[in-house]
Amino acid sequence: GQNIDQPTEMTATEGAIVQINCTYQTSGFNGLFWYQQHAGEAPTFLSYNVLDGLEEKGRFSSFLSRSKGYSYLLLKELQMKDSASYLCAVKDSNYQLIWGAGTKLIIKP
Amino acid sequence: IAGITQAPTSQILAAGRRMTLRCTQDMRHNAMYWYRQDLGLGLRLIHYSNTAGTTGKGEVPDGYSVSRANTDDFPLTLASAVPSQTSVYFCATSNDPSFNEQFFGPGTRLTVL
């Protein structure tokens, strides 16, 4: 079967760094996505990794290891507005997205 | 219209009733998708359309139907609603099926009693 695992909830302090992990087992791999979803809103795109390594975009970075079926999202200089759910998704061999249940990130002052 | 619109924003529906959720985009994207999102579960694909005139089944298609008569519109119909279809429904688009990003509409919150 296909499976995406990520922690249910994480807590971090404003100004700190947090790493959200995602492991996956899918039928084929055509890229991994991270989305941000604030409560009551639609998911919005953060990053896309198709090759191994780190992609940096401002305060957010995403890492991929295809051999390990592993990715992480790194958020630096946390702000209160970063409180949201972070969704990991893999594009499988049929070009469909398989989604994890999301990690709820709580930022404390 | 800017981006993707969905209607209604929310709806309470009696079990057994027929309901159509509307999705319209103005980005001229070829591919469109319907997902449902339930607490504790990831987004699950209901149906998709890679281009106007074609549709396909996703992970959880039972009880739902779609049509894609043109590029812009992708309605989702519940023929006879059941309480297990209570969920938040998101429409999404991508420029083509082998996308690098999917864009999401604001969602429809549906409650079936």
Side-chain angles (χ1 to χ4, degrees):
Chain A
Q2 307 203 91
N3 197 50
I4 310 285
D5 286 318
Q6 49 182 132
T8 301
E9 187 174 296
M10 299 181 70
T11 301
T13 304
E14 190 177 14
I17 298 173
V18 70
Q19 177 175 311
I20 302 173
N21 296 325
C22 172
T23 58
Y24 63 89
Q25 290 178 308
T26 56
S27 56
F29 179 86
N30 283 299
L32 185 142
F33 296 78
W34 284 97
Y35 277 77
Q36 181 189 59
Q37 186 177 26
H38 286 101
E41 298 183 7
T44 55
F45 173 79
L46 287 177
S47 67
Y48 172 63
N49 294 68
V50 65
L51 300 176
D52 290 351
L54 188 68
E55 294 277 346
E56 296 185 80
K57 191 184 294 185
R59 294 189 299 115
F60 292 7
S61 303
S62 56
F63 172 83
L64 174 67
S65 170
R66 289 172 296 170
S67 62
K68 295 182 179 178
Y70 168 70
S71 172
Y72 67 72
L73 180 69
L74 191 72
L75 291 74
K76 303 176 185 176
E77 301 169 14
L78 286 169
Q79 302 174 10
M80 297 303 293
K81 68 178 182 179
D82 297 329
S83 293
S85 289
Y86 292 85
L87 313 181
C88 174
V90 171
K91 187 167 39 170
D92 69 7
S93 55
N94 295 317
Y95 292 94
Q96 302 299 343
L97 283 181
I98 309 301
W99 295 82
T103 298
K104 183 178 181 180
L105 178 62
I106 299 168
I107 309 296
K108 295 186 174 180
Chain B
I1 297 177
I4 304 168
T5 58
Q6 291 186 236
T9 302
S10 65
Q11 182 76 43
I12 298 174
L13 189 67
R17 297 297 295 270
R18 180 183 179 89
M19 175 74 190
T20 296
L21 307 184
R22 299 184 298 280
C23 174
T24 299
Q25 56 126 344
D26 67 354
M27 298 186 288
R28 308 303 295 173
H29 282 176
N30 286 314
M32 298 186 75
Y33 313 84
W34 273 107
Y35 291 96
R36 60 177 290 173
Q37 187 174 40
D38 302 291
L39 197 63
L41 299 176
L43 288 157
R44 291 183 291 170
L45 184 66
I46 304 170
H47 285 287
Y48 65 93
S49 169
N50 287 335
T51 189
T54 70
T55 62
K57 294 182 179 180
E59 180 186 356
V60 289
D62 294 344
Y64 305 96
S65 64
V66 291
S67 61
R68 187 86 185 277
N70 57 61
T71 298
D72 298 344
D73 302 297
F74 190 43
L76 176 74
T77 298
L78 289 68
S80 179
V82 295
S84 61
Q85 292 178 311
T86 293
S87 188
V88 179
Y89 291 85
F90 287 103
C91 177
T93 72
S94 64
N95 56 349
D96 63 62
S98 60
F99 54 88
N100 290 348
E101 181 177 353
Q102 281 188 359
F103 299 83
F104 285 80
T108 293
R109 183 173 295 274
L110 182 67
T111 302
V112 183
L113 301 176

